[in-house]
Amino acid sequence: MRPIIHILIAFLFAMIFISLPATAATEDPQYIHYEQMTMRFSGTDATVTISFELDTFVQAYTLLMGSHNLDGDIRNMFYEFDEVTVSEIGKDYAILRIGNVSLLSDGYYLHDSRNLGSDVDLLTLVYPSGASKQISNAKATSNIFY
């Protein structure tokens, strides 16, 4: 049993040292990079699918400990939203349900822009009709009505 523990500890330290030079070379030292986010509106709620990339150390950590440990970091992405429920987290994606993201007014739903906790390479807003709007390098959702 002891040799296995020593091997696991050595593996974790090796992963840390391997990932340090790559992290130091980037401007954004975060270990999670949000590549794409799709926000599908339905009434006052929205379903969000995020695809992300993890650095090497975090990939190894989630392989050993499970991707559920990313829950808090993914929730931080939606710090300006009130009712966030994480439905599923995979090794490179997450699915969330956000309640009361829009307001019903005179037969239309209004969504006010809200900041995101991190930049997203491509944000796609999908209206209930199926039409969509894409925003590159998004830092926030945009004001929309449907």
Side-chain angles (χ1 to χ4, degrees):
M1 183 69 169
R2 274 189 149 169
I4 293 173
I5 293 172
H6 291 287
I7 290 170
L8 286 174
I9 291 171
F11 175 74
L12 287 174
F13 279 115
M15 296 307 292
I16 290 170
F17 290 124
I18 288 171
S19 67
L20 283 178
T23 303
T26 63
E27 291 178 354
D28 189 8
Q30 294 182 358
Y31 63 88
I32 187 167
H33 174 78
Y34 295 99
E35 296 173 333
Q36 187 171 9
M37 182 169 94
T38 303
M39 191 172 207
R40 296 183 186 282
F41 293 94
S42 176
T44 59
D45 301 334
T47 301
V48 178
T49 304
I50 305 173
S51 63
F52 51 82
E53 185 177 349
L54 302 171
D55 73 9
T56 307
F57 174 69
V58 177
Q59 283 179 356
Y61 179 80
T62 56
L63 180 66
L64 293 172
M65 305 304 279
S67 58
H68 66 277
N69 291 307
L70 298 172
D71 185 89
D73 296 309
I74 292 171
R75 283 178 185 276
N76 287 340
M77 179 70 166
F78 301 96
Y79 71 95
E80 284 200 354
F81 296 86
D82 294 328
E83 299 176 26
V84 178
T85 305
V86 178
S87 301
E88 184 178 345
I89 301 177
K91 68 175 189 156
D92 60 356
Y93 73 94
I95 301 172
L96 301 95
R97 179 91 170 144
I98 303 176
N100 293 322
V101 73
S102 300
L103 175 69
L104 179 61
S105 176
D106 294 331
Y108 291 97
Y109 291 96
L110 308 171
H111 170 74
D112 291 328
S113 177
R114 298 198 188 161
N115 292 323
L116 300 171
S118 186
D119 295 356
V120 178
D121 291 344
L122 182 64
L123 170 61
T124 304
L125 304 172
V126 182
Y127 301 93
S129 66
S132 64
K133 175 182 179 180
Q134 292 187 329
I135 305 167
S136 297
N137 300 317
K139 298 176 187 328
T141 62
S142 61
N143 292 324
I144 61 169
F145 70 94
Y146 50 95

